[in-house]
Amino acid sequence: MTPEAWVELFVGIAAILVGIATIVAIIRGPIVALRIQRQLDEDRLRRDRKQWIFKTLMSNRATRMAPAFVQALNLIDVEFTDPSERRIRDAWKEAQDHLSDWGKQTPEQRKENAKSNLERADDLLSELLVRMGDSLGYSFDKVYVKKGWYYPEGLGDMEQ
C-alpha cells in the first residue's frame, strides 16, 4: 500500500468514527440534557421545601402552637436529610426531646418549671433556626431569632 492509500484509509476511518460519534451525540444529547434538567428541577423543589419549612418556622416563632409551626417542625427530618445538614437534625432532636419531656410533666411541674422550660425551648428553637438559616444562606443570630418578631397583644388576647 502506498502512503497515499494509508492516508485515504485513515481519513475514511476517521470520517466513519466522526459520523458514529455524531449520531450517538444526536441521540444521547437530549437524553442527557433532560436528566440534567430533571435533577436541577428536583434540587430546586427540595430547596423550596426547605425554604417553606424555615420561613414557616420563622414567621410563626411567636405562635409555636400554630398548626403550621408544628407541621413545619415535623417535616425537618423528612427534608433536611443531607449529611451536611446533620447539625440541623441534631438541633431538632434536642429541641424535640425537651418539648416532649416538658409535655410529660404534671401540671404542677409545668407551672413550677414554666420559666426555665420556656427559656430552654427558646434557646433550642433559636439554635435550630439559626442552623437552618445558615444552611439556606441566611445570616441570623440567636438574639434576632429569639426576639426579632412582632406579635400584637390583641391577637394574644383573642387566642386566650
Side-chain angles (χ1 to χ4, degrees), residues 4 11 13 20 23 28 65 75 98 104 113-114 118 122:
E4 293 83 23
V11 170
I13 292 172
I20 291 171
I23 292 169
R28 296 274 302 157
M65 295 198 50
L75 286 172
H98 172 70
K104 293 176 186 173
N113 302 322
L118 188 55
D122 284 347

Side-chain angles (χ1 to χ4, degrees), residues 19-31:
I20 291 171
T22 302
I23 292 169
V24 168
I26 289 170
I27 294 170
R28 296 274 302 157
I31 294 169

